[in-house]
Amino acid sequence: MKGFRLIGDYAFEFLVITILIALSAVLIIPFVPMLTGVTGYFKEDINTRRFKDIFTTIGHNWKILIFYTIFQLVIIVFPVLNIYFFNTHPENTSYFVLAVSCIALVVGVIYLTTAPTVIVNMDVKFRQLLYNGIMLVFGGLLRSIISIACVAGVVALIIFYPYFVPLTLYAVPLITSKLMKENILKLKAKALNVSVFELKKMEKADDYLDENGKVIRPELEKNDEES
């Protein structure tokens, strides 16, 4: 019975997450905050996460999400529109604009893969988000390549085969959030000088890293203030 319940949980989760991300993508502007919220949702185990975690994550990080959303709109949306236009109107192709669009799109895909995890797990400002978004790639190159390839695949579908995109709106955020979480755990373990296994045993959901990679634990801060 437990197995059937778990299948049902995943099926319902697939439906809800797909609808939420699809609606946010159609509206464009809410897409980046929604993706970040879903990343915060997937941070928890299937047995403990709740859909309200999506909106709680967005609410807790609304300031940085404003700047990150503007950044992603510029570096992803406009290049995608340019490439789509040149693909459908080859006679109007400007190779300089196409090259710039492709470079911007690559950068945008990298940050679309890494930045939500940084926002969910670290207390950063926008400049620090840009730095840590790149550093997260080096937390595990193979995991990063797989994650970036998944996101790039969705972007490619948007440009060439948009009708298949809804099939990816649950699986890709789930895969990338899990892989990027492993990367950030590796970096956090290095900052603490412990193994990832030891870190997973002692980690709490509300642990954060500041912009310098120093671990911040609210309960420790509270104890320091009391002492």
Side-chain angles (χ1 to χ4, degrees):
M1 292 298 294
K2 183 178 179 181
F4 284 110
R5 182 187 65 80
L6 195 60
I7 292 174
D9 288 343
Y10 275 113
F12 183 65
E13 188 177 79
F14 169 84
L15 180 63
V16 172
I17 297 298
T18 299
I19 291 174
L20 287 175
I21 295 183
L23 287 175
S24 68
V26 169
L27 296 173
I28 299 178
I29 293 177
F31 174 71
V32 170
M34 182 58 66
L35 183 62
T36 304
V38 169
T39 300
Y41 171 77
F42 283 138
K43 180 181 177 182
E44 306 298 333
D45 181 79
I46 181 67
N47 296 311
T48 59
R49 58 192 182 219
R50 300 292 182 266
F51 291 122
K52 69 176 183 180
D53 295 339
I54 297 173
F55 304 98
T56 300
T57 299
I58 295 172
H60 285 170
N61 299 284
W62 68 271
K63 290 183 180 180
I64 186 66
L65 283 174
I66 291 175
F67 296 101
Y68 175 52
T69 299
I70 294 172
F71 170 76
Q72 285 290 44
L73 286 176
V74 172
I75 207 167
I76 286 234
V77 174
F78 289 114
V80 165
L81 292 176
N82 285 336
I83 294 171
Y84 181 79
F85 176 78
F86 293 146
N87 184 58
T88 55
H89 300 80
E91 68 279 4
N92 296 321
T93 300
S94 168
Y95 292 103
F96 174 76
V97 175
L98 180 61
V100 172
S101 297
C102 289
I103 293 171
L105 192 58
V106 170
V107 175
V109 165
I110 291 173
Y111 279 111
L112 197 63
T113 305
T114 62
T117 298
V118 173
I119 292 172
V120 168
N121 292 276
M122 300 178 71
D123 184 15
V124 293
K125 293 181 170 57
F126 180 67
R127 179 179 59 82
Q128 297 153 355
L129 173 64
L130 296 181
Y131 172 77
N132 286 287
I134 293 297
M135 293 306 298
L136 186 58
V137 173
F138 299 100
L141 284 177
L142 179 58
R143 289 188 294 266
S144 296
I145 290 172
I146 294 172
S147 298
I148 293 171
C150 287
V151 176
V154 175
V155 174
L157 286 177
I158 292 173
I159 297 173
F160 299 108
Y161 304 101
Y163 298 111
F164 291 98
V165 172
L167 300 177
T168 68
L169 296 182
Y170 174 79
V172 171
L174 176 61
I175 292 170
T176 56
S177 64
K178 295 300 183 184
L179 293 177
M180 289 299 98
K181 183 180 179 181
E182 289 297 317
N183 278 14
I184 206 164
L185 284 174
K186 184 176 179 180
L187 294 175
K188 185 186 285 189
K190 184 177 180 180
L192 285 170
N193 197 28
V194 298
S195 68
V196 174
F197 176 76
E198 291 173 318
L199 180 60
K200 286 181 178 181
K201 289 176 61 177
M202 66 181 185
E203 185 194 44
K204 296 182 182 294
D206 56 355
D207 284 357
Y208 278 83
L209 291 178
D210 68 8
E211 67 272 18
N212 297 314
K214 180 181 178 182
V215 176
I216 299 175
R217 292 197 177 93
E219 69 272 19
L220 294 182
E221 291 186 324
K222 182 178 179 181
N223 292 337
D224 290 341
E225 291 174 359
E226 291 175 351
S227 61

